[in-house]
């Protein structure tokens, strides 16, 4: 916490706005618009809620298709199932681990011949690094399909000088407890499309019509952010830049100390600047140590680390879904290789230098 969170929470208490509306909610939306560089924002109870509303806005319903990044957290694609639609998963490219333009083009060609054009494409900015939008957006545009940018992990990251969250027709952020800044739980949708934000705002407050009595013509949701949580968000947003700075130095320290080792950190594209949310390593292909060995080695010292997201096409839940690989069919896909060789290292902004040295040493003794 920065310290200012309590000030904003206190204001909410003093004015007695302990509700899913109030000054903090309005201000947090304004401050996010200004920071990201978008016209409109809607504060919600989660990032997942944001993706759900965006899908609904693009008319996704039963039997429809939605393309989505394969290497991601389930929050990206669970909302496709809420709408009884079919996810189609798109592999990563090796440069940024984000959606592969090659796999995306393959999926669109398939969709065209099979008459399964998607209603939307969800592109994730993984582990705080932007996808390659100059490659991806023209493909989506060619087929006339809107893009939902899942920037849940990428607040503060940039691509060619523009912030993540400006590339989707609608974009979402998450303020869940594990993200770079948190409201304890929450999310936000941002867009330059005023109509879209207006409609999603309506759905997020139980679709209550503008009448004196409670009038409802459409299904709605209880998805708004509370004024208390928004107060935390305002305090957190103030320290985002310094947090990115700290996380960058944590990443660079891992990167330097693992240099010339059978371990590599996530590649950083020169087209943008990540927010360094997590430092993620992969074990080089010809090396015999497994991710399980590294995780156990750290666990023995009570240090928590996790495997990279398990690709969605490998999940039981999505086993019936179509999937398009970056590679030819003889080769394993990129997302699977990253899952099998990747580990998210301790990356918290309170990680001490000595603690980081311990982690590095524990891994180095394995080879
Ligand atoms: C965290 C996350 C979400 C979901 O956000 P919540 O606020 O937890 O609902 C969606 N997509 C990605 C990539 C995430 O990391």
């Amino acid at each position: 916490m920065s310290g200012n969170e309590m000030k904003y929470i206190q204001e909410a208490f003093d004015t007695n706005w302990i509700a899913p509306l109030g000054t903090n909610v309005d201000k947090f939306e304004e401050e996010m618009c200004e920071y990201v560089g978008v016209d409109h924002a809607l504060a919600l109870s989660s990032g997942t809620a944001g993706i759900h509303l965006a899908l609904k806005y693009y008319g996704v319903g039963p039997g429809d298709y939605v393309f989505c990044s394969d290497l991601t957290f389930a929050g990206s694609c669970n909302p496709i199932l809420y709408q009884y639609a079919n996810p189609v998963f798109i592999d990563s490219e090796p440069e940024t681990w984000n959606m592969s333009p090659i796999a995306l083009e393959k999926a669109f060609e398939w969709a065209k011949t099979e008459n399964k054009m998607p209603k939307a494409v969800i592109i994730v900015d993984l582990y705080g690094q932007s996808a390659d939008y100059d490659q991806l957006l023209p493909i989506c545009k060619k087929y006339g399909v809107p893009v939902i940018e899942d920037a849940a992990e990428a607040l503060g990251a940039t691509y060619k000088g523009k912030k993540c969250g400006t590339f989707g027709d609608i974009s979402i952020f998450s303020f869940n407890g594990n993200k770079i800044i948190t409201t304890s739980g929450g999310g936000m949708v941002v867009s330059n499309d005023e109509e879209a934000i207006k409609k999603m705002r309506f759905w997020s407050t139980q679709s209550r019509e503008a009448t004196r009595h409670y009038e409802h013509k459409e299904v709605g949701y209880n998805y708004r952010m509370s004024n208390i949580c928004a107060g935390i968000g305002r305090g957190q947003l103030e320290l985002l830049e310094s947090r990115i700075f700290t996380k960058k130095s944590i990443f660079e320290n891992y990167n330097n100390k693992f240099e010339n080792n059978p371990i590599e950190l996530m590649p950083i594209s020169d087209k943008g600047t990540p927010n360094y949310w997590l430092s993620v390593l992969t074990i080089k292909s010809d090396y015999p140590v497994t991710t399980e060995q590294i995780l156990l080695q750290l666990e023995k010292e009570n240090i928590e680390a996790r495997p990279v997201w398990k690709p969605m096409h490998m999940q039981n839940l999505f086993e019936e879904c179509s999937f398009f690989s970056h590679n030819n069919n003889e080769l394993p896909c990129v997302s699977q290789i990253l899952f099998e060789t990747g580990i998210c290292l301790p990356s918290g902004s309170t990680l001490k230098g000595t603690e980081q040295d311990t982690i590095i040493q524990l891994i180095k003794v394995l080879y």
Side-chain angles (χ1 to χ4, degrees), residues 46-48 51 72-73 75-76 124 150 152-153 174-176 179 186 309:
S46 73
T48 308
I51 294 173
T72 187
F73 175 59
S76 300
V124 177
D150 178 353
E153 302 174 2
S174 167
F175 309 110
N176 193 43
K179 300 304 196 290
W309 300 127

Side-chain angles (χ1 to χ4, degrees), residues 256-269:
N256 295 337
K257 302 232 168 102
F258 284 131
E259 211 175 23
N260 306 318
N261 279 293
I263 277 165
E264 292 173 298
L265 273 265
M266 182 171 90
I268 303 297
S269 158

Side-chain angles (χ1 to χ4, degrees), residues 139 223 249 253 278 288 311 345 365:
I139 301 173
Y223 274 172
S249 66
N253 193 31
L278 292 186
L345 292 163
V365 295

